[in-house]
Amino acid sequence: MGKINGSQAIIKCLQEEGVNTIFGFPGGAVIDLYDELLDSGIKNVLVRHEQGAVHAADGYARVTGEVGVALLTSGPGATNGVTGIATAYLDSIPIVVLTGQVPTALIGNDAFQEVDIVGITRPCTKHNYLVKEAKDLVPTLREAFHVARTGRPGPVLVDLPKDVVATMIKFPEKTPIRMQTYQPTYEPHMGQVEKACKAILKAKRPVLYVGGGVILSNSNEELTQLAKRLNIPVTMTLMGLGGFPGTDPLSMGMLGMHGSYTANMAVSKSDVLIAVGARFDDRVTGRVDAFAPNAKIIHIDIDPTSISKNVKVDIPIVADCKHALTAMNSWLDQAKDLNEDEIKTKHEPWLANINEWTEKHPMGYTNEGETIKPQFVIETLSKLTAGDAIITTEVGQHQMWTAQFYKFNRPRRWVTSGGLGTMGYGMPAAIGAKMAFPNETVIDVAGDGSIQMCIQELATAKQYGCPIKIAILNNNYLGMVRQWQELFYDKRYSGTIMEVTPDFVKLAEAYGAVGLRATKTSEVEGVIKKALATDNTVIMDFTIAREEGVFPMVPAGKATTEMLLV
Amino acid sequence: MKHTLSVLLQNKPGVLSRVTGLFSGRGFNIESLSVAETLDESVSSLTLVTRGDDAIVEQITKQLHKLIDVIKVTDISEGEFVEREMVLIRVKAESNTRAEVLRVIDIFRGKVVDVSPKSYIVEVTGSTTKIKAIIDILKPIGIKEIVRTGTVAMARASKS
Ligand SMILES: Cc1ncc(C[n+]2csc(CCOP(=O)(O)OP(=O)(O)O)c2C)c(N)n1
Ligand SMILES: [Mg+2]
């Protein structure tokens, strides 16, 4: 085969990896690559801000499980992408971000639009590369995709100097990737699996605590099997929602700061806690020494650094969740003298106990006539989409209400920035998700504050005929911060009142989208139905009870049993 | 507790910065760090002295291992090991103190590697305790400058 230029080689690499859509924004340093893209057959989604490109690639990755790709120019293009990269990093989302860089001869000279993006993103990427020589281009890209999608997934950045990309090279044949220094452990240690299973069988009050790792490893079925065969109640982290059916009687919903009373009580009273692909984040544990104080803790995670980082683990299993759960299920299949019905019966008092908690403090809210309650909007959305839309969110109260009241029964339908908590994430992520699944209903549940952070992507949605729906729970506040000020700062609302907010209906119209508004409870259903029936991008602006709070709430640093209830 | 870690890394640009960035970013401390190529020039070896309780050192070890360019991490202070550090000391050496300085150096088996009318440069190699000891003794005589290499360490071969 003859030689091709670096840009053509990059395109070939993308095709090799099965990439058919990328999200990006051009500039001088990537103009050659954009030129090649035009006839490549790869769809380039032109965003309006690079943060949007990375979030869209991230949303695409979350719903498909494939690697999302963003392409940014050097300097400000690259730095604009950093929030997106950090967002993906904290939630372990596989994306590859390609950035243009000034020619190698100019690197280090403060050249026009030069920034050391590899240096900047070192702490917020799983790994990153500066390709200094054309011969390394293809192997580096292949390695980047491999690193992004394997092990604990994460964002990988590849910085591409303009001269490297212009060089003529021979396209090397694909060989299996072998990295001496990077070999994630997929298979569990069978001794540990056995120990874990025995501990579970002995438990009287077991709880499954499920995190995003279950979604990332596609192990929801194995998890569900384990929970059901032994009747083990399940709670999920914000990232784990959808990992176990939310409407199943064994589901206790979310745990942690805004988790259900039941979930937090159950964890604190459990005698065996089985953490699956979760990382004992402070928003989940509250005061660490009071978290599951009486439980033997089993922890399955592919990343050894997650184990015993915040909470001391008794039975660690370093493995891919899918492999570990499969191994546990087959251990149970083969266990002699195991009567699963007996175990199920043994758990009945525990489940009864759990039901009592739920009866005492169900996840609820009170309707107040025509004042729209945000929880009601989410319940109605859930009802009208049969709980099966792809839901993205921004960050704030609206995000927590969605997590609490939308019942996800399947994985990869819930797309939210958990670890970094990035306002502005939801709309670009919705565009990414809709690009991946044009026939699915995709809804961004937004706050009036967050939506303004990447509002310009409405134009992107319009340009690509991407009829996402945006439901703004409009309280005219930076509500989540306001709630903290209400509870812990004597209602001193410093910096949380947005005195000027655009008219979102007119704003939608200005972008060629449709704007709908509901100010009364009785209008909610009609607005949602109309939005769902409209083949256009729609903003629904719900004027909600202004000072509604998110409850239960575990104040930061308190034990999870010290919940504030409504 | 003091721990001495021996880390093998790919000898590539930016790798050291990944290691130091990890320590600063996660609030781990570095007491000393020394790095150089190994026999295989594509691999560097790094000796790092840090302090922390067992949980912290376990995290440090795992986090280092997680860096893609890190090949191997060993906490060599868990077993028998040899550690050495070298120091260059510019010490005042005038007619009235020269003899005293030479005596001290001799006791520590150091060497004078540069002589000028008013000072010596002294080279001493040894464990961190020994280095500290000679510095303490020479201080009252007048140390003008010191440069230390940081600790390098190697596990002892097993005796069995
Ligand atoms: C980029 C960014 N800046 C600041 C914050 C801190 N923060 C968290 S929630 C929140 C309020 C969000 O307001 P809004 O989008 O209106 O949502 P609400 O809480 O009112 O539902 C703020 C400012 C953040 N999460 N992200
Ligand atoms: Mg708001």
Side-chain angles (χ1 to χ4, degrees):
Chain A
M1 197 183 79
K3 288 191 167 183
I4 55 176
N5 68 41
S7 301
Q8 289 164 331
I10 294 169
I11 306 276
K12 274 184 76 113
C13 282
L14 294 176
Q15 286 164 337
E16 237 177 42
E17 302 292 337
V19 175
N20 51 35
T21 309
I22 68 172
F23 303 87
F25 202 85
V30 287
I31 196 164
D32 290 352
L33 193 45
Y34 265 87
D35 189 62
E36 287 299 337
L37 262 180
L38 201 55
D39 328 298
S40 68
I42 295 176
K43 181 168 186 177
N44 168 50
V45 178
L46 173 64
V47 296
R48 297 300 184 266
H49 185 296
E50 289 86 351
Q51 181 183 350
V54 182
H55 287 333
D58 166 316
Y60 185 96
R62 291 192 204 219
V63 296
T64 58
E66 307 287 327
V67 179
V69 180
L71 169 59
L72 319 175
T73 194
S74 69
T79 54
N80 268 352
V82 172
T83 299
I85 295 170
T87 303
Y89 183 64
L90 270 278
D91 288 344
S92 308
I93 303 305
I95 57 170
V96 168
V97 178
L98 306 175
T99 48
Q101 182 55 281
V102 302
T104 42
L106 290 182
I107 290 181
N109 281 359
D110 299 323
F112 178 64
Q113 295 195 326
E114 179 190 357
V115 334
D116 174 13
I117 195 64
V118 167
I120 289 173
T121 58
R122 221 171 258 140
C124 63
T125 49
K126 179 170 174 184
H127 198 50
N128 61 15
Y129 303 86
L130 168 63
V131 183
K132 280 194 167 157
E133 288 180 58
K135 71 168 175 39
D136 296 331
L137 181 63
V138 173
T140 303
L141 283 168
R142 287 172 177 160
E143 194 173 296
F145 275 88
H146 174 71
V147 170
R149 69 159 70 93
T150 53
R152 177 178 184 172
V156 177
L157 179 139
V158 185
D159 203 19
L160 303 163
K162 192 163 174 174
D163 56 322
V164 169
V165 170
T167 306
M168 300 298 289
I169 53 170
K170 236 183 112 206
F171 191 77
E173 231 172 86
K174 189 156 182 161
T175 48
I177 293 177
R178 227 176 288 120
M179 292 170 70
Q180 188 205 353
T181 63
Y182 171 72
Q183 279 149 2
T185 309
Y186 278 79
E187 290 302 333
H189 184 285
M190 287 314 289
Q192 294 297 93
V193 167
E194 175 166 345
K195 265 197 218 163
C197 289
K198 286 185 170 161
I200 295 170
L201 293 178
K202 268 204 214 128
K204 292 201 177 78
R205 299 182 306 281
V207 167
L208 274 158
Y209 149 47
V210 172
V214 167
I215 313 285
L216 294 167
S217 62
N218 301 310
S219 53
N220 53 299
E221 280 173 17
E222 291 77 4
L223 172 87
T224 306
Q225 189 190 348
L226 178 66
K228 295 213 158 190
R229 69 193 294 168
L230 301 177
N231 254 351
I232 304 174
V234 181
T235 179
M236 287 159 276
T237 68
L238 183 69
M239 298 311 298
L241 293 175
F244 183 79
T247 52
D248 191 283
L250 287 172
S251 169
M252 303 184 288
M254 185 168 74
L255 81 167
M257 181 173 273
H258 291 297
S260 69
Y261 178 81
T262 308
N264 284 335
M265 291 306 288
V267 168
S268 80
K269 299 286 183 253
S270 64
D271 63 352
V272 172
L273 184 70
I274 312 139
V276 192
R279 61 188 175 90
F280 297 83
D281 176 82
D282 54 279
R283 286 293 190 261
V284 160
T285 60
R287 209 180 78 218
V288 175
D289 58 311
F291 182 74
N294 308 313
K296 184 169 251 190
I297 297 180
I298 300 165
H299 188 183
I300 305 172
D301 205 296
I302 196 162
D303 179 358
T305 69
S306 287
I307 288 172
S308 291
K309 183 166 68 179
N310 305 329
V311 170
K312 179 110 186 52
V313 170
D314 300 295
I315 307 176
I317 301 180
V318 175
D320 179 88
C321 293
K322 195 176 183 90
H323 293 241
L325 291 167
T326 304
M328 286 166 77
N329 279 321
S330 40
W331 190 91
L332 292 170
D333 289 341
Q334 286 156 24
K336 285 196 203 91
D337 313 322
L338 169 62
N339 182 341
E340 293 193 2
D341 287 331
E342 232 166 64
I343 303 279
K344 280 183 166 173
T345 318
K346 184 180 72 171
H347 293 164
E348 264 163 25
W350 175 229
L351 294 177
N353 206 330
I354 283 169
N355 286 336
E356 278 164 32
W357 282 319
T358 308
E359 273 162 32
K360 203 160 118 199
H361 296 291
M363 195 53 101
Y365 64 96
T366 39
N367 272 313
E368 281 166 26
E370 282 290 40
T371 305
I372 301 176
K373 284 300 184 88
Q375 302 91 334
F376 174 75
V377 178
I378 304 300
E379 275 185 352
T380 312
L381 267 178
S382 188
K383 185 181 82 184
L384 295 178
T385 55
D388 202 36
I390 292 173
I391 303 286
T392 73
T393 74
E394 309 292 334
V395 170
Q397 293 182 307
H398 60 276
Q399 175 190 32
M400 292 300 130
W401 287 316
T402 314
Q404 292 175 333
F405 289 91
Y406 199 99
K407 298 283 173 245
F408 295 94
N409 280 323
R410 289 204 280 155
R412 300 196 179 279
R413 315 296 286 176
W414 167 239
V415 179
T416 197
S417 167
L420 197 66
T422 309
M423 292 171 68
Y425 172 77
M427 202 225 300
I431 293 173
K434 187 76 182 171
M435 290 286 174
F437 294 121
N439 298 325
E440 302 276 350
T441 302
V442 180
I443 304 172
D444 171 30
V445 178
D448 48 303
S450 300
I451 194 64
Q452 296 186 60
M453 287 218 170
C454 286
I455 190 73
Q456 66 284 350
E457 302 308 335
L458 267 183
T460 310
K462 272 303 289 182
Q463 176 165 341
Y464 295 93
C466 195
I468 55 168
K469 315 296 172 203
I470 299 157
I472 301 178
L473 302 184
N474 193 340
N475 49 16
N476 217 249
Y477 275 130
L478 295 172
M480 184 56 96
V481 183
R482 184 209 62 75
Q483 176 172 343
W484 285 46
Q485 290 171 337
E486 176 187 342
L487 296 171
F488 314 118
Y489 293 86
D490 275 342
K491 293 204 178 187
R492 287 161 52 81
Y493 293 162
S494 175
T496 43
I497 306 174
M498 284 178 294
E499 281 164 20
V500 176
T501 303
D503 177 331
F504 289 114
V505 170
K506 283 194 189 146
L507 185 76
E509 285 161 2
Y511 277 101
V514 172
L516 303 171
R517 176 169 290 129
T519 57
K520 295 192 223 140
T521 306
S522 55
E523 294 167 352
V524 169
E525 188 159 332
V527 161
I528 295 176
K529 279 188 176 153
K530 188 156 176 205
L532 292 175
T534 304
D535 186 23
N536 195 345
T537 306
V538 181
I539 288 188
M540 296 167 264
D541 184 12
F542 298 99
T543 309
I544 60 162
R546 246 196 123 188
E547 302 216 346
E548 185 74 10
V550 182
F551 294 102
M553 175 174 191
V554 179
K558 294 268 180 171
T560 48
T561 45
E562 298 175 68
M563 283 168 273
L564 306 175
L565 302 159
V566 195
Chain B
M1 254 275 277
K2 192 167 123 178
H3 287 256
T4 305
L5 306 182
S6 168
V7 185
L8 290 182
L9 322 151
Q10 306 258 20
N11 187 3
K12 286 188 197 162
V15 177
L16 188 57
S17 146
R18 289 185 202 278
V19 172
T20 54
L22 170 70
F23 276 73
S24 59
R26 293 189 180 267
F28 302 142
N29 91 354
I30 300 183
E31 239 162 61
S32 111
L33 183 151
S34 131
V35 58
E37 229 171 75
T38 60
L39 277 181
D40 174 353
E41 62 188 39
S42 70
V43 175
S44 307
S45 136
L46 181 152
T47 306
L48 195 151
V49 180
T50 185
R51 242 170 230 286
D53 61 25
D54 288 353
I56 290 178
V57 174
E58 184 185 330
Q59 258 305 303
I60 292 176
T61 311
K62 287 173 170 177
Q63 291 286 358
L64 279 170
H65 204 84
K66 188 171 161 181
L67 293 178
I68 302 234
D69 291 327
V70 167
I71 302 165
K72 193 168 174 215
V73 185
T74 330
D75 182 351
I76 55 175
S77 44
E78 278 183 344
E80 295 275 308
F81 70 108
V82 183
E83 63 164 3
R84 288 291 179 272
E85 181 173 0
M86 189 183 89
V87 62
L88 294 175
I89 307 173
R90 193 192 306 281
V91 58
K92 235 193 325 193
E94 290 170 8
S95 51
N96 57 338
T97 55
R98 282 193 179 221
E100 169 70 3
V101 169
L102 287 175
R103 236 187 339 265
V104 172
I105 294 168
D106 193 44
I107 294 168
F108 282 89
R109 279 185 273 163
K111 274 190 280 188
V112 176
V113 291
D114 186 67
V115 181
S116 71
K118 290 187 170 169
S119 66
Y120 289 150
I121 297 179
V122 176
E123 173 196 314
V124 181
T125 306
S127 67
T128 310
T129 342
K130 176 174 163 189
I131 303 286
K132 191 172 171 302
I134 189 166
I135 291 171
D136 286 347
I137 288 175
L138 289 179
K139 241 188 218 158
I141 301 173
I143 294 180
K144 296 179 162 179
E145 185 184 355
I146 65 165
V147 180
R148 298 168 67 162
T149 56
T151 303
V152 293
M154 202 180 259
R156 288 186 192 272
S158 76
K159 300 250 157 68
S160 53

